[in-house]
Every structure is written in C-alpha cells, then in structure tokens.
Amino acid sequence: MPQRFHTTSTNRVIALSAQPHLAEFQFLLQVNRQLQDLIMRFNLGVEGAFPAGGMHGLKPCCTPAGLERMQGKYTHWTDHGIIALNLVSCDFLSFDLMDDGQRATVFTYEKWIFVYADGQQEATSGSVDGYDVHRVNDTWRVDSVTFYAPNLQPS
C-alpha cells in the first residue's frame, strides 16, 4: 500500500534537529547545503545562458545528459523569441535522497521574467519546479528539471 504522507529527507532533517549530534542529521544538513548551492548556481547559469549564447556555462552543474536537455530548452526558448530569462526568486522547498544517496529529487518555488525580442516582458506568477539530481564524483549535478510554469514547457 502506498504511503499517504511520504517522509522526505527534508522532513528527516526537521525530525532529527532535536538531536544535532547524530551523524544522520549532520549528513542530511550537509546534503541540504550542497543541493541548495547547486540549485542557486544552476539557476544563475540559466539566467547567464542568454548573454553567453548557450547553456555551456552549466557544464559544472549538470550531468552530460542534463546539459544536453538544457541546451534543448534554450534552443526552444530562443526559437520562440525569448532573449533573456531573469530570476526573480527561488525558494528551496525540499529534497529527497534515493539510491543510497546517489540521486535526489529537489523541489523549489521559482519566479522568472521572460524577456522577448520585441521588448515584451512576461513574469511568471511562480511555480514549483522539480529537479532530478545525481551525485557524480562526489558532486551533485542536475540531470533533468521540470518547469511546471506553462510558458517554460518545451514543445
């Protein structure tokens, strides 16, 4: 029977916070910091991709497949007249470790402004974004990201 209220790794951090000496608590805090740093660098890289002319700046943040997927999203956006994506805010919601700590899902709440070649700017009202991240050579990297805002969906 499926669990109705899934306990994420973020929930475990909260549950264990009363016992900060526990190794599991310290480990989860470290992963939490690493994942928040990854998402921050990733989103700043997405923002910087437009002046740079592509997603190559995301290489330190992505798996090879993730970088290829992001380049596809970039191509889709530019094909639709988007010349810039500006991050307004990114709130880290939660993470959940899988595969013995080698994979995680991360959820954020993000707001962006799309800038079009004709000067039009469209602000998203905010949406939950889901990241699939993998641990590669002891470094977390984005493998895929699902943008739930309708105007971010590649066709």
Side-chain angles (χ1 to χ4, degrees):
M1 181 164 140
Q3 186 175 353
R4 289 189 63 196
F5 298 100
H6 179 72
T7 300
T8 67
S9 298
T10 300
N11 298 131
R12 290 286 301 147
V13 170
I14 295 165
L16 293 169
S17 65
Q19 303 172 41
H21 61 282
L22 290 179
E24 181 185 9
F25 176 71
Q26 293 301 320
F27 170 74
L28 290 173
L29 275 182
Q30 178 184 21
V31 170
N32 185 64
R33 283 189 299 271
Q34 291 169 345
L35 293 173
Q36 285 191 41
D37 178 64
L38 170 66
I39 299 304
M40 179 184 70
R41 289 182 297 111
F42 177 85
N43 280 333
L44 292 174
V46 169
E47 194 175 54
F50 289 86
M55 293 287 180
H56 51 274
L58 285 179
K59 188 174 182 178
C61 299
C62 292
T63 64
L67 184 59
E68 188 176 318
R69 282 189 260 285
M70 288 309 298
Q71 187 58 44
K73 291 175 189 272
Y74 173 81
T75 300
H76 173 77
W77 291 325
T78 57
D79 286 351
H80 287 84
I82 296 170
I83 61 168
L85 281 179
N86 298 321
L87 181 64
V88 175
S89 65
C90 176
D91 296 317
F92 190 87
L93 299 177
S94 69
F95 73 98
D96 198 14
L97 291 176
M98 296 169 281
D99 298 339
D100 295 327
Q102 298 305 302
R103 269 191 49 230
T105 53
V106 178
F107 292 96
T108 61
Y109 183 79
E110 299 178 17
K111 294 182 181 183
W112 292 83
I113 295 174
F114 292 77
V115 180
Y116 292 86
D118 65 3
Q120 176 189 353
Q121 294 190 15
E122 180 183 342
T124 66
S125 59
S127 67
V128 174
D129 293 350
Y131 295 82
D132 182 26
V133 299
H134 296 203
R135 199 165 173 86
V136 179
N137 298 326
D138 290 327
T139 302
W140 289 104
R141 296 182 186 268
V142 173
D143 188 63
S144 66
V145 58
T146 302
F147 301 110
Y148 296 106
N151 50 349
L152 288 174
Q153 295 294 331
S155 54

